[in-house]
Amino acid sequence: MKVIEGRLIGAGLRFCIVVSRFNSLFSEKLLEGAKDMLLRHDVSIRAIDVVKVPGAWELPLVAKEAALSGKYDAIIALGAVIRGDTPHFEYVSAEMSKGLAAVAMTQRVPVSFGVLTTDTMEQAVARSGSKAGNKGAEAALAAIETVNVIKELRSGKEIEENA
Ligand code: INI
């Protein structure tokens, strides 16, 4: 049996962080967390591009353009969708999450999901750098690991060893 894992080494990797301005109180904290996590794993500051979009709805299209550019090993999507009194939350969060998943699957580029979808502001506070951590930082770490596990799989080494 061979266990294939992605190492948490960011040196040499290139990332595009796509972040929504809507609810920027939270999304800016997620951005700080993501950048800090990348830098602490030896990603070069010059290898990080930050692209700002109006809201979470716009994340999938812009993530797709970033993926198509061929300039990045992974995309990190950040934002905050907070439930209100209308069904707007359902439309935005459902299409945004399905859209981001579709970008990853069709473009074969990891797209980390660092978008808060919460019922309340308190839950968003908790997940953007207080008691429930920072989902932006978690998304950045997941991006590093996923890039590296895909590199392992694509290297073909494990196929030779199992043959
Ligand atoms: N965008 C968000 O990122 N979070 C929200 O909570 C939100 N709500 O609730 O409306 C939101 N709406 C804007 C949307 O993402 C688009 O930017 C807008 O509809 C223009 O296309």
Side-chain angles (χ1 to χ4, degrees), residues 20 22-23 54-58 80-82 88 92:
S20 66
F22 205 102
N23 288 322
W57 181 267
E58 282 74 32
V81 193
I82 300 172
H88 199 74
V92 172

Side-chain angles (χ1 to χ4, degrees), residues 53-68:
V53 300
W57 181 267
E58 282 74 32
L59 288 170
L61 178 61
V62 177
K64 184 168 182 176
E65 286 297 326
L68 282 169

Side-chain angles (χ1 to χ4, degrees), residues 31-43:
L31 177 58
E32 277 172 39
K35 282 194 292 193
D36 179 61
M37 187 63 85
L38 294 179
L39 296 175
R40 285 198 288 128
H41 287 81
D42 295 326
V43 177

